[in-house]
Amino acid sequence: MIVKDLSSCSNYYSQFFKEYTELRMQENREINIAYVKGNLMRNEINATSGVSARVYKSGSWGFSSNPDLNPDTAKSVIKSATDNALYLDSRVKKSEKPLPDDKTLAENDFATRNVRRSQKELVDFVKELDTYIDNKYPSLTSRIVVLRCLDMEKSVITSSGSSFFSMIPRTNFIIRLSTEKDGHPVELYDVTGGLGQFEDLYNSASELYQKVDKIYEHLMNKREGVFSNAGVRPCVLDAALAGILAHEAIGHTTEADLVLGGSVAGDYMGKEVASDLVTLVDFAHTAMGGTCPVPVYVDDEGIKAEDAVIIEKGVLKCFMHNKESANHFDAKPTGNARAYQFSDEPLIRMRNTAILPGESHLEEMIASIGDGYYLMKPGNGQADSTSEFMFGVPLGYEIKNGKLGKAIKDTTISGVAFDMLKTVTMVSDDMSWSNGGMCGKKQPIPVGLGGPAIKCKVNVGGR
Amino acid sequence: MNNREIGRYGLSCLIKAGADKAQCVLAKSEKRELNVEAGKFSLIRTTYDSNMNYKAIKDNREGITRSNKTDKDSIEQAAADALEIATSSQFDNAYDIAEKQESKRFYSGSKEPDIDRMFNRLQTFVESVKEKYPKTILELAILDFTHLNSYFMNSNGVDFTTSKGIYNFIAMFTSKDEERTSSFNYSGFSTRELEKEFLDYGTINLLLKQSSEQLELNAVNEKFTGDIIITPDSLAEFIDYFTGIFLRDVPIISGTSVFKDKLNEQVADSGFTLYSRPISGEIADNYFVTPDGFEAKDSTIIEKGVLKSFLLSLYGANKTVRERAVNSGNVYVVDPGDQSFDDMVKSVKRGLLLCRFSGGYPNDNGDFSGVAKNSYYIEDGEIKYPTNETMISGNLTELFMNIKSISKERVNYGDKILPWLLTSGITISGK
């Protein structure tokens, strides 16, 4: 358990702060339960906690961490981080100006108030879901049911006066079903869940039966699926795909550290980069009146987190910043600095990235396409500093004469996001979040991504 | 308590809590790390961590907990939690721990980093890149030294200690000339000593040179079936796909692997031999003990195209009544072929030099597709130009079956040794 209110000890620790300093205590707790074809292959609890300090000296950072959570260790990591910053400064002498000030006080605790379930009850819950699949769909060749819970609890003070505590939990089920067609495996998976501890999201395994049935229905369609016809096609990208596009292909290029590293977005500030139907926001904690999947109220540098409106009506408006990049670009920090583990330094990370809803209905978007695809789910994806992207598409359907046709086999979509977004001609009026995302950039970090469906032209793989 | 005593205490707590079989692994790490961002030194990190891994089996039910705390109260709590989880688990005869083996201590690398040398080597690298490749930006370069002491103990009497010190380096870079931007690329290496300049390790210099060429790109304007030369950097990814989808526990237990019944049968071209060599002297980044608590040995996974071993853990082997792998995979080494890289290029009528594959994870059938990044178009035996927006698709099983040649040259990254590999039957399509 970490100290919930580090501010109460700030007088004690501040005497050791010689330069700009952040002191963070953090604990990550995980539960992993996995059934593979009825076999309990994972049944684990992991907990990692410790204290870290990061110190800034004229453009040079020093960092240190230790798993022992006690005042003496905190003191030693402050000293070690300070020594590291001073050593680096003595070698490189960057003479950068001081970081922007912060003074934010906050406490955001999303821990459940319900009675916690035991590990046995969680295992039984997953087993019940697995048994439902086995009984109802015995012809499946394989099934995997995974429960993943992650609680991230952190307490931070900075030498410039910020102090906050946060406990942000996430619970996800991953359900993967497999069948065969002519001796070849065909599979489909989906991820569900989101912000909150298990007890706040689920009461009974039966609540997930409808999700299973839907995956099975799509899998059976995909089993009889056809290859997509390779080439640039008119497509409707459903919310999950539009969300990963917003995150991977646009979002990363507009993280200020990657802009400094040469990303193409550095040349586009203030320019038209998308259709005027596209407004893309990295939400801090609240969107459309609801709490986002990964709410960030104060970032790990003690900056009050605010929404970053990256593209507004097609025009590139801002980058995402930490304190240092805000200094460089003479901008305001946006509260995007986040660390995954106690032993990680904060990096510029997205929080909840989405295109804003438009005015079209999904049905009319599909009806407007004569020959194209409705692409529903993303697999893994990658994007480039050029905004060139590639995403796997494990679930999609043909659109023929305005109507959904046959399912398609696994395919990929690719393109240059800043070009592709200029082809957007319709944006749906609804919005949904994908809540299971983990972004990789030196460290992993939970992210939210979502949005409406968009109609655009995109390069579809296939034969 | 010293580290060995901490490990022993964890094991005794598991047994005292009622475990029929118990395993405790303690890993204590110290890391020193230097970071360069956008071509400038940005950060020095010093991190200490512990990882205690507890496994309890009671009445053929298994529970696992992990914690990074090593005080007595935390150890007792984690051991008790492992037993409680085991109680919640399902009955399964396949749960087990390693049998008794001769106790051993393994050592590799230094105990302490040379920080000044780390700084100087990295500084030289940053300056060399600026000088040789002025249009290339080092987005991120990370050099770390990690020292890891690990203690493996179980109730059958397993008692292994490993002590390893290793330098790891990775560089990620993009080239930029006014508004022209290349795709990013990256590579790295592991080494026990910083004995030479970083440009001389692995493929770092080659990829930096290529990056600076990749500001002028051309599209492959049609779709065709051709050859690809897979570079060592991208071959590592295809081997990971191959082993992950066809040879490890989940695909074999779930039955989704298309090779589940192919042991001792041909699964690749007869020129292809793949090893996992965690204890080899030619590897800097060794491991000596598997997560199950067995002393690791080098193995042959595919010999002249014939599948010789799955990569099954103890559980996977027990569950499927097959042989346990003698290591936990990775540290892959591929035998060299008999053709030079230059001759390999000359033999290609039409295709790509695939330098980085940005693709979706292949499906269970091995079908893959993705973008050929940082790659080059080859026609009539000549590398013509770097490409953009070019997709490739194919099937993993066919890719390894259709190997036409393997290069004489190989790259030793410190954690793998891989050649260039020429294969055919890949669908290549431009915009």
Side-chain angles (χ1 to χ4, degrees), chain A residues 35-50 54 59-69 80-81 84-85 87-88 91-92 94 96 118-121 123-124 127 141-144 176 178 180 183-187 227 229-230 232 257-268 271 324 328 342-345 347 380-386 388-392 410-416 419 442 459-463, chain B residues 32-35 37-38 40-50 62-71 81 84-90 92 95 115-116 119-120 123 137-140 142 172-176 178-186 223 237 241 249-250 253-258 260 315 319 356-374 388-395 398 427 429-431:
Chain A
Y35 272 92
V36 176
K37 209 175 180 182
N39 301 296
L40 182 59
M41 280 192 66
R42 189 160 297 160
N43 185 13
E44 299 175 359
I45 294 177
N46 304 325
T48 309
S49 61
R54 190 171 70 142
S60 294
W61 289 98
F63 181 92
S64 184
S65 68
N66 194 299
D68 293 333
L69 281 166
S80 170
N84 282 342
Y87 173 85
L88 188 56
R91 298 294 303 256
V92 298
K94 289 162 96 173
E96 297 286 350
S118 69
Q119 185 83 1
K120 180 170 188 341
E121 288 173 305
V123 169
D124 289 346
K127 176 69 182 165
T141 52
S142 187
R143 61 192 188 277
I144 298 176
R176 178 184 164 114
S178 301
E180 277 187 0
H184 297 291
V186 182
E187 73 275 3
F227 285 105
N229 190 10
V232 176
D257 52 345
L258 297 194
V259 173
L260 287 169
S263 113
V264 72
D267 304 317
Y268 294 165
K271 294 183 182 171
E324 192 178 18
H328 179 92
F342 76 94
S343 53
D344 291 327
E345 75 279 17
L347 306 175
N380 59 337
Q382 294 180 20
D384 205 331
S385 39
T386 58
E388 189 176 357
F389 65 88
M390 188 295 312
F391 303 118
D410 291 308
T411 188
T412 51
I413 56 171
S414 64
V416 174
D419 293 341
K442 191 179 181 191
N459 191 20
V460 180
R463 290 190 177 177
Chain B
R32 302 296 301 271
E33 181 184 291
L34 290 170
N35 285 210
E37 283 184 66
K40 294 178 182 169
F41 277 89
S42 57
L43 169 73
I44 297 182
R45 292 171 78 215
T46 306
T47 62
Y48 300 89
D49 209 356
S50 307
E62 182 183 273
I64 291 174
T65 54
R66 290 193 184 90
S67 162
N68 67 343
K69 297 289 170 285
T70 54
D71 60 278
D81 287 347
E84 189 189 327
I85 293 170
T87 310
S88 74
S89 185
Q90 74 174 20
D92 194 334
Y95 295 133
I115 294 294
D116 286 332
F119 185 91
N120 292 337
Q123 189 172 42
I137 302 168
L138 273 176
E139 281 186 65
L140 184 66
I142 301 171
M172 184 174 169
F173 37 86
T174 297
S175 295
K176 201 162 173 65
E178 296 180 347
E179 291 203 2
R180 292 181 307 168
T181 304
S182 76
S183 291
F184 72 79
N185 207 351
Y186 59 89
K223 182 169 144 185
E237 191 159 13
Y241 290 152
D249 279 7
V250 170
I253 291 172
S254 66
T256 56
S257 169
V258 296
K260 60 182 184 288
Y315 175 82
K319 194 73 199 171
R356 181 163 73 88
F357 175 67
S358 171
Y361 200 80
N363 64 16
D364 289 344
N365 195 43
D367 297 325
F368 66 85
S369 63
V371 182
K373 291 280 189 181
N374 308 96
N388 66 348
E389 295 193 64
T390 302
M391 293 193 76
I392 61 167
S393 60
N395 179 278
E398 292 169 14
T427 303
S429 55
K431 278 197 224 184

